[in-house]
């Protein structure tokens, strides 16, 4: 099942996505919607992962590739997110 990700892009990126979609390479560089949801579902449902403010990748706590570029904007997003979920 395809998610429709990148279906509206044009140019060289579109060619790359079309190429990957037609080859076995797509399995190496893309994920199904189910695979893409695994980390979010695990973090949301596994009580042993009760970590506030953590970054998760491939179902594990990880370090972001780069830090937030704007600390004030990052803090504002965090505050709005907490408000949205009722914390």
């Amino acid at each position: 099942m395809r998610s429709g990700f990148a279906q509206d892009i044009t140019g060289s990126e579109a060619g790359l996505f079309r190429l990957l979609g037609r080859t076995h390479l797509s399995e190496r560089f893309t994920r199904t919607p189910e695979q893409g949801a695994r980390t979010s579902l695990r973090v949301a449902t596994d009580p042993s992962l009760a970590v506030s403010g953590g970054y998760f990748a491939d179902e594990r706590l990880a370090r972001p590739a780069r830090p937030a570029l704007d600390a004030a904007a990052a803090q504002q997003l965090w505050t709005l997110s907490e408000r949205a979920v009722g914390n």
Side-chain angles (χ1 to χ4, degrees):
M1 173 186 224
R2 294 180 182 210
S3 67
F5 175 77
Q7 66 186 3
D8 296 326
I9 62 172
T10 60
S12 59
E13 292 88 3
L16 177 62
F17 276 100
R18 278 194 299 277
L19 174 65
L20 287 175
R22 292 188 201 126
T23 68
H24 67 282
L25 290 174
S26 65
E27 294 171 10
R28 188 169 182 183
F29 297 105
T30 63
R31 297 178 183 201
T32 66
E34 292 81 8
Q35 291 168 327
R38 281 185 189 151
T39 297
S40 296
L41 289 172
R42 178 152 186 244
V43 171
T45 61
D46 187 340
S48 72
L49 297 178
V51 176
S52 178
Y55 174 78
F56 287 80
D58 295 323
E59 300 183 54
R60 292 185 297 271
L61 189 60
R63 286 181 168 237
R66 356 178 252 210
L69 298 177
D70 184 336
Q75 182 58 51
Q76 182 181 14
L77 176 59
W78 184 259
T79 301
L80 291 171
S81 298
E82 284 184 324
R83 211 175 291 153
V85 297
N87 279 340

